[in-house]
Amino acid sequence: FDPAHVLVGAIVPPAAKYRNGEERTVFYDQILQRTAALPGVRTAAIASVVPLQGGDSDMSLFVEGAPPGSPDNAPATWYRLVSAGYLDAFGIPLRRGRNFVPHEAEPVVMINETMARRHWPGQEALGRRIKFSDEGQWFRIVGIIGDVKQQGARIEARAQTLIPYWQLPEPGVAIVLKTHGEPEALTAPL
């Protein structure tokens, strides 16, 4: 990823006012709209965890069609809740498929190349489905992104899944601004 001209800030809406996912989604939508309109902002994005931040989140992974008890059922994947502008904000390449469409209703994800190779070696991962719990809903893979060494250059990339933030809104996120000029100039407006 390319960190040049990137400003990151934390947003934790008050739990007493934003009690559920729908209320948090509306709040995050407003933050994205307002920060994207700031002079000097090229792209505004949301992420639950940004590269090199630490605090990585993982969850179980179930691959459609994999037999129970196989290595493809209940391994972990690191996940990030992100907005459609996340890839552009960090310069992360989309290798195949497409990016998220804001507020698309179908449960969709993007995965990294490591995850695609691990679970579908020699096959196409696009269009396949995964879920995060035995009883959970299926998410369709719509994009394959380049690997990001989330914890530094010396640590190998791990299986990673990007989920649209509005499908599983968390109580706190990072706002990411890709700027035309020096990002420090946007610290006060952010």
Side-chain angles (χ1 to χ4, degrees):
F1 72 94
D2 180 4
H5 301 285
V6 174
L7 178 66
V8 177
I11 298 175
V12 182
K17 185 173 181 181
Y18 301 96
R19 293 181 209 105
N20 60 48
E22 185 176 315
E23 291 172 345
R24 286 191 295 267
T25 297
V26 170
F27 178 76
Y28 296 149
D29 289 347
Q30 291 171 351
I31 293 292
L32 272 176
Q33 185 179 32
R34 290 172 65 186
T35 55
L38 291 172
V41 172
R42 191 177 98 195
T43 302
I46 282 177
S48 57
V49 179
V50 298
L52 302 180
Q53 179 185 18
D56 289 305
S57 302
D58 64 352
M59 65 176 124
S60 296
L61 172 71
F62 296 83
V63 175
E64 185 176 41
S70 78
D72 285 329
N73 275 326
T77 180
W78 281 2
Y79 74 94
R80 307 283 179 267
L81 302 176
V82 303
S83 64
Y86 176 76
L87 297 181
D88 183 47
F90 281 109
I92 299 170
L94 177 66
R95 300 290 191 208
R96 294 189 305 286
R98 66 172 177 85
N99 202 333
F100 299 137
V101 175
H103 293 287
E104 60 188 301
E106 179 187 9
V108 296
V109 295
M110 290 186 281
I111 63 172
N112 69 348
E113 293 172 303
T114 292
M115 185 162 158
R117 281 190 306 272
R118 180 171 299 145
H119 296 287
W120 297 278
Q123 302 173 42
E124 181 56 73
L126 289 174
R128 303 292 181 111
R129 297 191 322 166
I130 61 173
K131 61 183 179 177
F132 305 110
S133 70
D134 215 7
E135 303 300 319
Q137 67 181 338
W138 290 104
F139 288 75
R140 184 168 307 283
I141 299 168
V142 297
I144 312 294
I145 67 167
D147 285 340
V148 175
K149 293 187 175 187
Q150 290 291 133
Q151 295 183 317
R154 294 182 179 172
I155 299 173
E156 290 302 312
R158 294 181 59 184
Q160 187 178 101
T161 303
L162 302 183
I163 304 167
Y165 73 92
W166 58 88
Q167 291 181 354
L168 297 172
E170 288 191 346
V173 296
I175 184 76
V176 181
L177 303 181
K178 181 78 167 184
T179 67
H180 290 290
E182 290 304 314
E184 294 82 12
L186 286 162
T187 301
L190 175 60

